[in-house]
Amino acid sequence: MTVTIKDVAKKAGVSPSTVSRVLSGHPRISLETSRKVKAIMEDMGYTPNMMAKSLVSKTTNSICIILPKPAEELFSNLFFMELIRGIVTQASRSGYDVLISSGANEKEELEAVSRLLKGRRVDGVILLYSRKDDAVIDFLQGGGYPFVLIGRSDRYENILSVDNDNVMAAYDATNHLISMGHERIGFVSGPPNLIVSRDRLEGYRKAMENSGLTMRPEWIVEGEFLQDSGYRAMSFFMNLPNRPTALVAVDDMVSFGVLRGLNELKYKVPDDLAIVSFNNIPLSELSSPPISSIDIGIYHLGYTASQVLIQGIQKPNNDAGYTNRFVIPHRLIVRESSMHTPSKP
Amino acid sequence: MTVTIKDVAKKAGVSPSTVSRVLSGHPRISLETSRKVKAIMEDMGYTPNMMAKSLVSKTTNSICIILPKPAEELFSNLFFMELIRGIVTQASRSGYDVLISSGANEKEELEAVSRLLKGRRVDGVILLYSRKDDAVIDFLQGGGYPFVLIGRSDRYENILSVDNDNVMAAYDATNHLISMGHERIGFVSGPPNLIVSRDRLEGYRKAMENSGLTMRPEWIVEGEFLQDSGYRAMSFFMNLPNRPTALVAVDDMVSFGVLRGLNELKYKVPDDLAIVSFNNIPLSELSSPPISSIDIGIYHLGYTASQVLIQGIQKPNNDAGYTNRFVIPHRLIVRESSMHTPSKP
DNA sequence: CCTCCTTATGGAACCGTTTGCTTTACACAG
DNA sequence: CTGTGTAAAGCAAACGGTTCCATAAGGAGG
């Protein structure tokens, strides 16, 4: 049926081993044989069977990512899509395929990762986000499997990771508002088990303290990376007796929710409430008003993660003193949502 | 190192074949043996090697999709993400993994598909969109490989496909505007090599003709599924001496571009120009004003495609007279962007 | 002319499963 | 007691490659 290495060998009058060597560019194959075999492979339409190859080489040339099933309840889909594009593009360039599986919760994720890795279906894993006390990381670390974390671990120092400096990013975002004259600044955070939520909150704190501004506990609310959280946060904030004049939100989707709410209540942005958020998804410049946002280079994050992982797979000299934490630069994109100086009360 | 079927067999004092049969639930295995072997597998931490399994069974339990490399230049990323979520979720439920590769153009796509399929790395393919004279389809059809097309083919009748009734959808969209009193309606189409562009254009035509409205060639412009196309189309339309009072746009992203442009020029939507578009991406209700859109059930499209493909892989009785075209229903979501009756000139 | 390298190739074992064909061990009928 | 049927398990040959080891041919050096 399908043409194998043996068929090619027979037709070329050589042994299967020779064909295999031609394929892998073995040095001790005469130019003549090589050319002949290649020609025959070509016209017989030979394609190597990856399964057979993987079986003996114990390598699959593919990596995997696990998509949180209800993606829309965690991050914005756009975030993941950008990440995936970066990962797939780079992997493709390095000759790797990307396998996507999905898991509704940490347990399912662990099962999927374990099955894929122990079943030798993939060579490594990219974890798309970092949370506290992640059992998946324990498994990967314990099993010595190649993996890279997007974000950072709260417990392991020496694992490969690609991250932003989220503390600094939040510091920058907050400082931007402060420099515009704001003093009462609120913060809409994400799920507390996500490291990124904590880091950004931390940056906000630092900036506030650094400028000697008072921080009220009621000015910090937790939510998801979702519009609804923004909507709820907005109505909470606007009902406060001494309400903030500006907000830092952990994700652009949250800002959209805030915007929607303010719009319904006929408040103006940035006049009544200025806002800046994170991720700079393609739509943040499309809303009205356009949202100031910290661009964290999502595509780049994915691209780098893939690159780092594949390098780690190909030469596992991870013990060397090289850096294993890669930081993707961020930058603040100022748009209309934060372009207003509050009037002093 | 890793524990194989042989290790389990040895420890259990049975032959490898017996262990294999336990694994696959073979009827002629005594309950006692089965229990013993299972217990041993458990505590040795046995995981089947998928490569070995695939090699002999000629089946991989995975399917693939090809992501157009510069995704943002074709469709909106949100579209793909929704599709992927649907596909991955369903595949996961059926015990399949999804492999994503990427190709910058039709040639690269063909190479990727061919490599994956002929190299027996995947069992089937989902084509994420349909274009005219697609060489990839020829390859799949010619090779007898299982695949399903999202959209429809312009040349093959009997291939598995999951589609919307795009002609009808466009008909509905246009009719909605007509019923609001519009008579001068323009159309912003997509790339002409995409079947979906043609179908929607066709539906627009039908609706116009059906209502006896004049159709001017200059009221139909071509673009991409991108904001920029909308922006350009807008400035073209607004400079026309006898300009349309409403627009049907092939994708929500296009609407965003139109909106942005109109906003810059201080035109009002829907007062100066009403608009309705397709796909109902999550952000179409967030823009100002929110955009009327045809919801085509993207997630559902992906989910069904995966289901249909996997069914086709598992029992290839495709010769039966069963239906092989699945139509996902659409529905019009009316929002502010089309809620205005034009004043008669 | 014989030995020793070097270079190009062949042979065969192995990677971890599946599966068709046997074999073993009973139980039971004739 | 021999023959037959059946349930349970083992043997060994694939599946399509890779790779270690052996071998043959052809110099080169002594």
Side-chain angles (χ1 to χ4, degrees):
Chain A
M1 188 63 247
T2 46
V3 27
T4 77
I5 230 176
K6 286 177 192 166
D7 303 326
V8 175
K10 197 173 294 173
K11 191 149 191 173
V14 298
S15 77
S17 15
T18 301
V19 177
S20 171
R21 286 193 257 258
V22 168
L23 228 37
S24 62
H26 190 101
R28 286 232 256 272
I29 288 289
S30 72
L31 201 59
E32 189 194 7
T33 310
S34 171
R35 270 209 273 263
K36 185 175 61 181
V37 169
K38 274 180 185 158
I40 293 188
M41 289 194 319
E42 178 72 23
D43 75 50
M44 292 184 81
Y46 170 75
T47 312
N49 181 317
M50 298 312 282
M51 294 303 141
K53 194 170 191 160
S54 291
L55 182 55
V56 34
S57 72
K58 292 178 182 324
T59 233
T60 63
N61 269 50
S62 46
I63 60 178
C64 79
I65 61 184
I66 308 293
L67 211 56
K69 181 114 61 187
E72 75 275 69
E73 285 177 19
L74 232 195
F75 287 93
S76 77
N77 284 337
L78 273 171
F79 177 84
F80 280 111
M81 193 65 228
E82 274 298 287
L83 218 46
I84 292 175
R85 275 190 49 235
I87 292 169
V88 171
T89 303
Q90 202 289 322
S92 212
R93 266 178 207 157
S94 307
Y96 277 67
D97 291 309
V98 178
L99 216 127
I100 299 201
S101 196
S102 83
N105 49 50
E106 196 168 318
K107 183 158 164 289
E108 279 190 29
E109 272 185 44
L110 183 55
E111 274 166 17
V113 166
S114 163
R115 178 178 58 84
L116 291 170
L117 240 20
K118 293 179 70 180
R120 295 229 180 283
R121 214 176 167 68
V122 300
D123 298 338
V125 183
I126 297 179
L127 297 179
L128 299 181
Y129 48 92
S130 345
R131 50 193 167 202
K132 254 182 78 67
D133 303 323
D134 195 328
V136 179
I137 297 184
D138 294 340
F139 167 80
L140 293 167
Q141 187 74 350
Y145 297 107
F147 73 101
V148 39
L149 180 60
I150 292 184
R152 65 181 184 83
S153 166
D154 52 338
R155 291 179 300 165
Y156 298 98
E157 273 299 323
N158 292 318
I159 63 181
L160 284 180
S161 59
V162 180
D163 198 5
N164 302 106
D165 185 342
N166 276 307
V167 176
M168 195 60 189
Y171 185 90
D172 290 349
T174 313
N175 255 347
H176 161 60
L177 291 171
I178 295 174
S179 75
M180 294 298 286
H182 292 278
E183 295 184 340
R184 300 201 306 279
I185 304 173
F187 188 84
V188 190
S189 185
N193 67 322
L194 256 32
I195 308 274
V196 62
S197 304
R198 301 171 158 247
D199 282 353
R200 290 181 183 168
L201 180 54
E202 174 65 17
Y204 158 78
R205 281 221 171 85
K206 273 199 180 152
M208 293 294 275
E209 275 171 16
N210 218 43
S211 297
L213 297 176
T214 46
M215 268 196 316
R216 314 200 173 200
E218 71 267 28
W219 284 355
I220 298 174
V221 309
E222 262 169 22
E224 309 278 321
F225 285 67
L226 284 177
Q227 272 191 69
D228 269 13
S229 297
Y231 190 90
R232 270 197 295 275
M234 182 281 313
S235 59
F236 171 77
F237 281 128
M238 296 316 270
N239 283 324
L240 246 35
N242 187 17
R243 69 186 197 215
T245 61
L247 242 47
V248 177
V250 83
D251 183 87
D252 292 331
M253 290 307 283
V254 174
S255 286
F256 284 134
V258 171
L259 243 50
R260 180 160 58 93
L262 291 172
N263 198 40
E264 283 174 12
L265 300 179
K266 304 290 176 213
Y267 284 115
K268 291 276 189 204
V269 175
D271 312 55
D272 296 313
L273 189 71
I275 189 160
V276 37
S277 49
F278 290 82
N279 295 0
N280 192 34
I281 62 174
L283 289 134
S284 37
E285 58 175 331
L286 284 179
S287 59
S288 66
I291 297 171
S292 297
S293 189
I294 301 268
D295 190 309
I296 59 168
I298 307 177
Y299 179 92
H300 194 184
L301 225 40
Y303 194 96
T304 307
S306 167
Q307 195 164 32
V308 164
L309 175 61
I310 290 173
Q311 255 166 35
I313 290 170
Q314 288 174 341
K315 41 180 156 82
N317 51 347
N318 45 352
D319 38 290
Y322 281 104
T323 176
N324 40 27
R325 180 153 193 268
F326 298 82
V327 176
I328 306 298
H330 63 267
R331 71 182 211 283
L332 172 68
I333 312 286
V334 176
R335 301 203 183 86
E336 210 183 314
S337 76
S338 65
M339 288 169 122
H340 175 260
T341 302
S343 48
K344 293 281 170 188
Chain B
M1 189 63 249
T2 46
V3 28
T4 76
I5 231 175
K6 286 177 193 167
D7 303 325
V8 174
K10 196 174 296 171
K11 191 148 191 173
V14 299
S15 76
S17 16
T18 301
V19 177
S20 172
R21 286 193 255 259
V22 167
L23 228 38
S24 61
H26 190 101
R28 284 234 255 272
I29 289 288
S30 72
L31 200 60
E32 189 194 7
T33 309
S34 171
R35 270 209 272 263
K36 185 175 60 180
V37 169
K38 274 180 184 159
I40 293 188
M41 291 195 314
E42 180 71 24
D43 75 50
M44 292 184 80
Y46 170 75
T47 313
N49 181 317
M50 297 312 282
M51 295 302 142
K53 193 171 191 158
S54 292
L55 181 56
V56 33
S57 72
K58 290 175 181 327
T59 232
T60 63
N61 270 53
S62 47
I63 60 178
C64 79
I65 61 184
I66 307 292
L67 211 55
K69 181 117 57 185
E72 75 275 69
E73 285 177 20
L74 232 196
F75 286 95
S76 77
N77 283 337
L78 273 172
F79 176 84
F80 280 112
M81 193 65 228
E82 274 298 287
L83 218 46
I84 292 175
R85 277 190 48 235
I87 292 169
V88 171
T89 303
Q90 202 288 322
S92 212
R93 269 179 204 156
S94 307
Y96 277 66
D97 292 309
V98 178
L99 214 121
I100 298 201
S101 196
S102 84
N105 50 50
E106 195 167 319
K107 183 158 164 289
E108 278 189 29
E109 272 185 44
L110 183 55
E111 275 164 18
V113 165
S114 163
R115 178 179 55 85
L116 291 170
L117 240 20
K118 293 179 69 182
R120 294 225 181 286
R121 212 175 168 68
V122 301
D123 299 339
V125 183
I126 297 178
L127 297 178
L128 300 180
Y129 48 92
S130 343
R131 50 195 165 202
K132 255 182 76 70
D133 304 322
D134 195 328
V136 180
I137 297 185
D138 293 341
F139 167 80
L140 293 167
Q141 187 74 349
Y145 297 107
F147 72 102
V148 40
L149 179 60
I150 291 182
R152 66 183 184 81
S153 167
D154 51 338
R155 292 179 300 165
Y156 298 99
E157 274 298 324
N158 292 318
I159 63 181
L160 284 181
S161 59
V162 180
D163 198 6
N164 302 106
D165 185 342
N166 276 306
V167 176
M168 196 61 189
Y171 185 91
D172 290 349
T174 312
N175 254 348
H176 162 60
L177 291 171
I178 295 173
S179 75
M180 294 298 286
H182 292 279
E183 294 183 340
R184 299 200 307 278
I185 304 173
F187 188 84
V188 190
S189 185
N193 68 322
L194 256 33
I195 309 275
V196 61
S197 302
R198 301 171 159 246
D199 282 354
R200 290 180 183 169
L201 180 54
E202 174 65 16
Y204 158 79
R205 280 221 172 86
K206 272 197 181 154
M208 293 295 274
E209 275 171 16
N210 218 44
S211 297
L213 296 176
T214 45
M215 269 197 315
R216 313 200 173 197
E218 71 267 26
W219 285 354
I220 299 174
V221 309
E222 263 169 23
E224 309 277 323
F225 284 68
L226 283 178
Q227 274 190 65
D228 269 13
S229 297
Y231 191 90
R232 270 197 295 275
M234 182 282 313
S235 59
F236 171 78
F237 281 128
M238 297 315 271
N239 283 325
L240 246 34
N242 187 17
R243 70 183 194 216
T245 61
L247 242 47
V248 177
V250 84
D251 184 86
D252 292 330
M253 290 307 283
V254 174
S255 286
F256 285 134
V258 171
L259 244 49
R260 181 160 57 94
L262 291 172
N263 198 41
E264 283 175 11
L265 300 179
K266 305 291 176 208
Y267 284 115
K268 291 277 188 200
V269 175
D271 311 56
D272 295 314
L273 190 71
I275 190 160
V276 37
S277 49
F278 290 82
N279 296 0
N280 191 34
I281 62 175
L283 289 135
S284 37
E285 58 174 331
L286 283 178
S287 59
S288 64
I291 297 170
S292 297
S293 189
I294 300 266
D295 190 310
I296 60 168
I298 307 176
Y299 179 91
H300 194 184
L301 224 41
Y303 194 96
T304 308
S306 167
Q307 195 164 31
V308 165
L309 175 61
I310 291 173
Q311 255 165 36
I313 289 170
Q314 288 174 341
K315 42 181 158 81
N317 51 346
N318 45 352
D319 38 291
Y322 281 104
T323 176
N324 40 27
R325 181 153 193 268
F326 299 81
V327 176
I328 305 298
H330 62 266
R331 72 181 210 284
L332 172 68
I333 312 285
V334 177
R335 300 201 183 86
E336 209 182 315
S337 76
S338 65
M339 289 170 123
H340 176 260
T341 302
S343 48
K344 293 282 170 189

